[in-house]
Amino acid sequence: MLLETLNDRSRNIFRHIVDAYLKTGDPVGSRTLSRIIANPLSPASIRNVMADLEDSGLVYSPHTSAGRIPTELGLRLFVDGLLEVGNLSEDERTTIRIRCQEKGSRLEEILPQATSLLSGLSQCASIVMAPKYERPLKHIEFVHLGPGRALVVLVSEGDDVENRIIEVPHGLTPAALTQAGNYLNARMIGRTFAEAQKVIQKELQEQKAELDKLTRQVVEQGLAVRAGQNGDTAISDTLIVRGRANLLENLEALEDLERIRTLFDDLETKNDLISLLDLAKNAEGVRIFIGSENKLFSLSGSSVIASPYMDADNNILGVIGVIGPTRLNYARIIPIVDYTAKVIGNIL
């Protein structure tokens, strides 16, 4: 069903049904519509149009009353074709900028602030998917374990210690392990693993490192201790969820409470939620998932509005967004999410 197939009267009535539903959450009847549409029509004429909209799959009647509410398809078509997205005021923009950076300008300081801010402004739950914060390194050391094996000890600031066993060339001397450790320490200390990895790999590629063949192999093995299948550092994504309590406000029916309970269960499914947010990473700007369009929230009837945020080099770092009932204030929340994601990128 396309909006272009609706005549002006049907489109106007459909828009008013959705607008009224998003504001109140209640089914919208013909008498209500006859009072709010610009060119008054009789309730009988409006009922005929509503029946046609129902036949088209855009609205339905949840109870025996004559009132209608939009289906998920109707909401999708409304958001894509009829929604008039609002503009943030300068005061709102200033508030978002100040709040996002009042705890600092590092990513691990910005994101908790941004998610708390979003949950407050949207009165929904807010979410952010972030790369796990990586502390700069303090020390790296290789410990000989026997023929062909060595232990890599990584110490980060804050004294976090990580140990990995790696394979090394047979016949490698302790002196070569020491040389490899000294080489890496000189370039890693004070840098994150990812930062140091780029510096060292460039040096190795340009043949600037004065290392013998066996020591070079150890250095490359040391760099690979956190490498994923694609060569990316395998730092798992961190998920932050704020404002769950907001979802418990203004519940008007038992089915609303059951829906929210289901949503809470969904929010605990971290891997599935991260997979969903991964889809938003590929979007240019805001991505909207309505109800059963995503499998994770199909039972709770929830919507997600999310946008990727980037660093100074336009590399996508993560996704920030809002989760709530499908009856979200899309016109207000979309620009808030979009602007918050841009602010995070600007701060970084």
Side-chain angles (χ1 to χ4, degrees):
M1 177 67 189
L2 299 175
L3 290 176
E4 289 77 7
T5 64
L6 300 179
N7 57 36
D8 290 341
R9 174 185 292 183
S10 297
R11 187 180 305 194
N12 187 39
I13 290 175
F14 173 63
R15 183 175 64 249
H16 280 295
I17 291 174
V18 179
D19 281 337
Y21 169 72
L22 293 180
K23 290 176 182 176
T24 68
D26 298 326
V28 185
S30 56
R31 291 188 181 278
T32 299
L33 289 170
S34 67
R35 291 194 297 267
I36 62 177
I37 59 178
N39 298 312
L41 295 170
S42 69
S45 297
I46 293 175
R47 282 196 294 271
N48 289 335
V49 173
M50 293 170 73
D52 291 339
L53 292 173
E54 187 165 7
D55 290 341
S56 300
L58 298 182
V59 300
Y60 74 100
S61 178
H63 307 294
T64 56
S65 67
R68 303 295 197 282
I69 65 175
T71 62
E72 288 182 2
L73 171 62
L75 282 174
R76 167 52 65 190
L77 293 181
F78 174 83
V79 168
D80 289 346
L82 293 177
L83 180 67
E84 296 180 4
V85 176
N87 292 318
L88 299 180
S89 68
E90 190 54 43
D91 286 345
E92 289 173 319
R93 291 170 181 264
T94 300
T95 297
I96 291 173
R97 288 197 301 270
I98 292 174
R99 286 285 306 280
C100 281
Q101 60 184 339
E102 66 183 3
K103 295 293 185 180
S105 58
R106 300 172 70 172
L107 191 60
E108 69 274 14
E109 298 164 334
I110 298 169
L111 294 182
Q113 277 294 104
T115 48
S116 296
L117 173 67
L118 270 186
S119 67
L121 291 174
S122 67
Q123 288 302 294
C124 294
S126 60
I127 49 173
V128 65
M129 184 176 71
K132 184 177 180 181
Y133 174 59
E134 191 181 1
R135 295 180 182 275
L137 293 165
K138 286 177 61 177
H139 182 70
I140 183 170
E141 184 176 348
F142 294 95
V143 179
H144 187 261
L145 296 179
R149 298 172 76 229
L151 176 70
V152 184
V153 182
L154 291 168
V155 183
S156 303
E157 289 184 6
D159 293 327
D160 293 330
V161 180
E162 183 177 347
N163 299 321
R164 300 285 178 88
I165 296 176
I166 63 172
E167 294 182 0
V168 296
H170 284 270
L172 190 73
T173 64
L177 281 177
T178 300
Q179 183 186 6
N182 291 339
Y183 172 83
L184 289 174
N185 274 307
R187 290 153 181 83
M188 282 187 160
I189 305 310
R191 293 186 170 110
T192 66
F193 193 93
E195 291 168 345
Q197 191 177 41
K198 290 180 181 179
V199 171
I200 296 168
Q201 285 179 337
K202 182 178 179 182
E203 192 170 291
L204 292 176
Q205 289 170 357
E206 294 176 353
Q207 302 296 320
K208 291 182 179 180
E210 296 180 1
L211 301 171
D212 60 44
K213 183 177 180 181
L214 292 182
T215 306
R216 181 188 178 103
Q217 285 181 265
V218 176
V219 168
E220 290 174 343
Q221 286 285 73
L223 291 178
V225 294
R226 289 186 183 175
Q229 292 180 343
N230 297 322
D232 299 326
T233 53
I235 305 297
S236 62
D237 289 319
T238 298
L239 185 69
I240 303 172
V241 181
R242 293 282 190 274
R244 286 181 176 90
N246 291 332
L247 300 173
L248 293 172
E249 297 180 3
N250 302 318
L251 298 181
E252 298 179 357
L254 180 60
E255 56 264 28
D256 289 336
L257 181 58
E258 290 302 319
R259 176 180 57 76
I260 294 302
R261 283 175 176 167
T262 303
L263 174 56
F264 279 11
D265 290 340
D266 291 339
L267 290 176
E268 295 301 320
T269 313
K270 177 181 176 181
N271 292 335
D272 289 344
L273 185 52
I274 287 178
S275 297
L276 171 64
L277 295 180
D278 264 333
L279 297 176
K281 273 189 174 182
N282 301 320
E284 293 185 5
V286 178
R287 183 82 182 268
I288 302 167
F289 304 92
I290 298 175
S292 59
E293 290 178 351
N294 65 81
K295 293 180 180 178
L296 178 58
F297 298 123
S298 60
L299 295 179
S300 65
S302 303
S303 287
V304 179
I305 300 175
S307 178
Y309 58 88
M310 295 172 282
D311 62 15
D313 298 320
N314 290 324
N315 297 312
I316 293 177
L317 298 179
V319 178
I320 190 165
V322 164
I323 296 178
T326 54
R327 191 177 63 82
L328 286 174
N329 187 344
Y330 296 92
R332 172 168 170 75
I333 295 176
I334 289 172
I336 289 175
V337 171
D338 185 43
Y339 187 69
T340 301
K342 287 182 171 63
V343 166
I344 293 171
N346 290 336
I347 295 173
L348 295 176

